[in-house]
């Protein structure tokens, strides 16, 4: 279930607040300028092609493009049998920012976004049908877990796609990882 946990930077091992209430999640994220929505379910097979996924969510994607000025959309998918899964996970585990909003819509599976605002870190477990838009310049990182299973639509203003500026802060290493939050070994 979609879950928002809030951690204080001074006590990163224990969440001071946890909620699964969608309205509360939306409100708490909106206070930080983060967009959170849940789109209607579309019945697609786990192995649906990028074209099929983009066709199924055509109206929603085009609406976001028109509203926010996004130029491109693509689909990223990762499964536990991917031999590069550990390298992909490491790539996103360090705190970074972007010069454009980072938008992800979860078609299937789940992943954990960490958003760093001042002395607190918001950890959002996104699941199927969740859309998150992290504003440009927001310090954040993403943890897909040791056995990733997700498919996301990504929207970009920059046609070159995902470009990160790493902060060098070690905050990501001090907070619980995906396994601890989800309870996986």
């Amino acid at each position: 279930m979609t879950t928002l946990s809030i951690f204080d930077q001074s006590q990163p091992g224990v969440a001071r607040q946890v909620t699964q209430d969608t309205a509360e999640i939306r409100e708490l994220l909106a206070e930080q300028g983060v967009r959170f929505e849940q789109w209607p379910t579309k019945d697609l097979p786990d192995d649906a092609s990028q074209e099929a996924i983009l066709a199924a969510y055509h109206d929603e994607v085009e609406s976001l493009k028109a509203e926010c000025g996004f130029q491109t959309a693509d689909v990223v998918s990762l499964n536990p049998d991917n031999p590069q899964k550990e390298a992909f996970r490491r790539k996103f585990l360090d705190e970074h920012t972007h010069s454009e909003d980072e938008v992800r819509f979860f078609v299937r599976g789940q992943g954990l976004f960490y958003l760093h605002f001042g002395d607190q870190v918001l950890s959002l477990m996104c699941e199927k049908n969740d859309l998150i838009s992290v504003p440009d310049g927001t310090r954040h990182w993403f943890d897909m877990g040791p056995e990733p299973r997700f498919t996301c639509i990504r929207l970009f203003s920059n046609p070159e796609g995902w470009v990160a500026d790493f902060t060098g802060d070690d905050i990501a290493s001090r907070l619980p990882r995906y396994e601890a939050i989800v309870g996986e070994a």
Side-chain angles (χ1 to χ4, degrees), residues 32-87:
Q32 302 296 335
V34 177
R35 180 179 192 155
F36 175 76
E37 299 175 1
Q38 291 182 316
W39 288 356
T41 299
K42 310 278 180 157
D43 289 324
L44 294 166
D46 284 350
D47 63 349
S49 69
Q50 173 170 292
E51 294 78 18
I53 292 168
L54 291 174
Y57 289 98
H58 177 268
D59 293 345
E60 292 88 346
V61 168
E62 291 304 312
S63 177
L64 266 183
K65 281 182 173 180
E67 177 187 342
C68 302
F70 297 115
Q71 300 298 309
T72 62
D74 70 5
V75 175
V76 62
S77 189
L78 202 60
N79 290 308
D81 62 352
N82 186 305
Q84 299 296 317
K85 67 184 178 188
E86 190 174 319

Side-chain angles (χ1 to χ4, degrees), residues 33 96-102 117 133-140:
H96 58 275
T97 63
H98 302 285
S99 61
E100 66 175 308
D101 294 357
E102 180 167 342
F117 300 104
S133 179
V134 180
D136 67 346
T138 300
R139 297 163 63 118
H140 68 282

Side-chain angles (χ1 to χ4, degrees), residues 79-119:
N79 290 308
D81 62 352
N82 186 305
Q84 299 296 317
K85 67 184 178 188
E86 190 174 319
F88 281 119
R89 184 182 190 196
R90 276 194 313 268
K91 178 179 178 178
F92 304 110
L93 274 178
D94 289 327
E95 184 183 73
H96 58 275
T97 63
H98 302 285
S99 61
E100 66 175 308
D101 294 357
E102 180 167 342
V103 180
R104 300 293 180 268
F105 171 70
F106 283 77
V107 174
R108 73 172 179 93
Q110 64 184 24
L112 190 55
F113 274 91
Y114 294 83
L115 312 164
H116 187 183
F117 300 104
D119 291 339

